[in-house]
Amino acid sequence: MTSVQKDAAATGVNVQTLLNEHPFSGFQWVIFALCFLIVLLDGFDTAAIGYIAPSLIGEWGVSKPALAPVLSAALFGLAAGALFSGPLADRLGRKSVLVGSVAVFAVSCLASGFSPDIWTLAVLRFVTGLGLGAAMPNAVTLMSEYCPDSRRATLTNAMFCGFPLGAAFGGFLAAWMIPHFGWRSVLILGGAAPLLLLVALVVLLPESVRHMVANNYPAERIRKVLARIAGDAVQGVQRFVMTESKPQPESQASSGMGVVLSREYRVGSIMLWIAYFMGLVIFYALMNWMPVLFKEAGLDPKTGTLVAALFPLGGVGAVLFGWLMDRFNANRIIAIGYALTAASIWWIGQTAGHLGWLVVAVFLAGTIMNTAQSSMPALAAAYYPTRGRATGVAWMLGIGRFGGIAGSFLVAELSARQLGFSEIFAVVAIPGVIAMAALIIKQYSSPEPQGGAVPATPLH
């Protein structure tokens, strides 16, 4: 008799034990694919404004500093969407928030393709950001809660690779679409694609099984989902339970926010926020401004856009980091990634005038930086217990979005102060060092020992 069957006979099926002991099913791969596509389109729509920025300057005759509100409008929306969606998903469920958020960013991105002026575009980008900000953390949370413990970081990181791939794909596509169809076509495509995905989400995406158990959903509904993973192993089971390997707050906080800010998790939460904030300072400073900076350094706009598109492409390295995080100390793995990020971003600034070395430097910096940044949601999802997980992931992403806003304005300010190409990249490298330090502090303040077991807390 397996441990799952023993659980069933004694106290009911333990859902995480079931997920751990059964092969990763086709149904779980469907969940993976849907979440991957959500994050892919999130990356495409988030980065699109940076790729069309040179066209906006040319068509509407605006200056670089005047572009900052448009470039950052979606980031304000991203922050607000994430901050509100996490607590909502911990209360109402992951699926409903995901479906609603995809609908919001699809419709608003589609509408932004018809903007008559820069301020209309800024407003629609803010609304797009609300949907994007709500979608990503809940996709990460839902995927994490359907993974076996031994592969959670690997699979969650692989899913999150959709974001940098979507951003990179947007660059290559924009370089082709803008000369043929204009910049508006990029935004129209960014809205039409998620509308098609929305139908699949409504039909195929399940609610998180851990959320259902934690919130006492009917056993029949839970059994129906688990039967698609484990087949007959749950046939006739009338009771489902789960255990939490994460420390439970002594205060027994009832809300997700109460868990995130409890004494046990407060310092770690703040360090996650700082690290993700600093990573997005780098990401958005470079994603939004590299095409413009490369143009000023002497590259033609098309070449500059193609080279800039190499930067987010490197995020596929997060799969390797996920594998390492499942086996070694996750905080230290990502901290090393941020340290190498700082060095590689500085190197980009030393390659002006050398296209070959610039291509290598941008791709290398993107690989390291996006690997570290794309690993952060998995780190946050693994850090919190179920009743605070969506809030914990969402607030890290939401607070971090203000780093994206800062990054967008940072390069505008550095350009206004007449800093040169190499000096701008040297300044942008500094947040990588700060992110590294934050994760080292989190490691030494963590409520659970790395690599050690924490007594499981039963949830019924």
Side-chain angles (χ1 to χ4, degrees):
M1 177 179 286
T2 67
S3 59
V4 171
Q5 291 170 323
K6 290 177 181 177
D7 280 343
T11 59
V13 167
N14 185 308
V15 294
Q16 191 58 50
T17 303
L18 184 144
L19 293 174
N20 290 342
E21 294 192 352
H22 281 79
F24 203 75
S25 66
F27 181 60
Q28 286 164 292
W29 282 117
V30 169
I31 298 170
F32 175 93
L34 292 173
C35 291
F36 178 87
L37 289 173
I38 291 171
V39 178
L40 179 85
L41 293 172
D42 194 313
F44 181 96
D45 284 355
T46 300
I49 194 69
Y51 294 126
I52 68 174
S55 298
L56 296 178
I57 292 174
E59 180 173 325
W60 285 341
V62 296
S63 63
K64 283 195 302 177
L67 272 183
V70 177
L71 294 174
S72 60
L75 297 177
F76 282 102
L78 284 161
L83 294 176
F84 284 108
S85 72
L88 200 62
D90 276 329
R91 183 178 297 272
L92 302 179
R94 300 11 172 166
K95 178 178 179 176
S96 58
V97 175
L98 264 175
V99 170
S101 61
V102 172
V104 169
F105 81 71
V107 173
S108 52
C109 186
L110 184 65
S112 66
F114 300 94
S115 300
D117 54 59
I118 197 166
W119 292 109
T120 302
L121 179 60
V123 171
L124 288 172
R125 288 297 295 172
F126 173 80
V127 179
T128 302
L130 288 174
L132 295 171
M136 185 187 297
N138 286 291
V140 170
T141 301
L142 182 64
M143 185 68 241
S144 173
E145 292 180 341
Y146 272 102
C147 290
D149 288 331
S150 63
R151 301 172 64 190
R152 177 169 287 115
T154 302
L155 290 166
T156 305
N157 275 16
M159 183 275 295
F160 197 77
C161 282
F163 183 84
L165 285 175
F169 177 67
F172 293 121
L173 199 58
W176 175 76
M177 292 182 69
I178 292 174
H180 289 85
F181 308 108
W183 61 266
R184 296 176 186 275
S185 64
V186 177
L187 298 177
I188 292 171
L189 177 63
L195 283 177
L196 296 176
L197 176 62
L198 194 60
V199 178
L201 295 179
V202 172
V203 175
L204 299 175
L205 192 69
E207 179 55 84
S208 161
V209 68
R210 291 186 66 89
H211 174 82
M212 289 193 288
V213 173
N215 288 273
N216 300 312
Y217 278 54
E220 181 180 354
R221 182 172 175 182
I222 300 171
R223 185 172 61 250
K224 184 177 179 181
V225 173
L226 289 178
R228 303 186 67 179
I229 297 173
D232 293 339
V234 295
Q235 185 175 3
V237 176
Q238 298 300 317
R239 186 165 181 264
F240 296 91
V241 299
M242 67 178 183
T243 54
E244 288 284 8
S245 61
K246 303 300 170 186
Q248 298 299 303
E250 292 180 2
S251 61
Q252 290 298 306
S254 59
S255 68
M257 209 57 231
V259 173
V260 170
L261 294 179
S262 66
R263 182 181 63 81
E264 292 82 358
Y265 290 95
R266 188 180 304 131
V267 174
S269 294
I270 293 171
M271 293 304 107
L272 285 171
W273 299 349
I274 291 173
Y276 202 76
F277 179 99
M278 292 300 166
L280 288 190
V281 168
I282 296 173
F283 183 83
Y284 284 103
L286 299 186
M287 281 301 302
N288 286 337
W289 290 105
M290 270 200 298
V292 177
L293 293 174
F294 290 164
K295 180 181 178 181
E296 291 183 343
L299 273 66
D300 67 87
K302 182 177 181 179
T303 302
T305 298
L306 289 172
V307 173
L310 294 173
F311 184 76
L313 188 63
V316 294
V319 178
L320 171 62
F321 260 37
W323 184 85
L324 293 172
M325 290 164 64
D326 280 329
R327 288 155 180 80
F328 304 105
N329 187 290
N331 291 316
R332 291 171 182 162
I333 293 293
I334 303 176
I336 292 170
Y338 279 122
L340 295 173
T341 291
S344 59
I345 296 297
W346 172 85
W347 187 38
I348 293 176
Q350 311 305 306
T351 60
H354 303 281
L355 180 59
W357 283 117
L358 178 64
V359 169
V360 173
V362 169
F363 181 73
L364 181 62
T367 298
I368 299 171
M369 187 271 153
N370 288 291
T371 292
Q373 192 72 4
S374 296
S375 300
M376 288 293 293
L379 184 69
Y383 183 58
Y384 297 105
T386 299
R387 57 197 172 103
R389 183 170 293 117
T391 300
V393 174
W395 269 67
M396 183 192 75
L397 295 177
I399 295 293
R401 296 301 183 181
F402 291 102
I405 296 166
S408 297
F409 283 97
L410 173 64
V411 178
E413 179 64 22
L414 295 177
S415 296
R417 292 176 179 270
Q418 306 298 314
L419 267 68
F421 186 83
S422 62
E423 295 170 313
I424 289 175
F425 281 93
V427 173
V428 174
I430 295 173
V433 178
I434 300 174
M436 175 197 69
L439 291 182
I440 292 174
I441 293 172
K442 175 182 177 291
Q443 164 61 29
Y444 287 103
S445 65
S446 175
E448 64 175 294
Q450 286 291 324
V454 176
T457 303
L459 295 180
H460 302 284

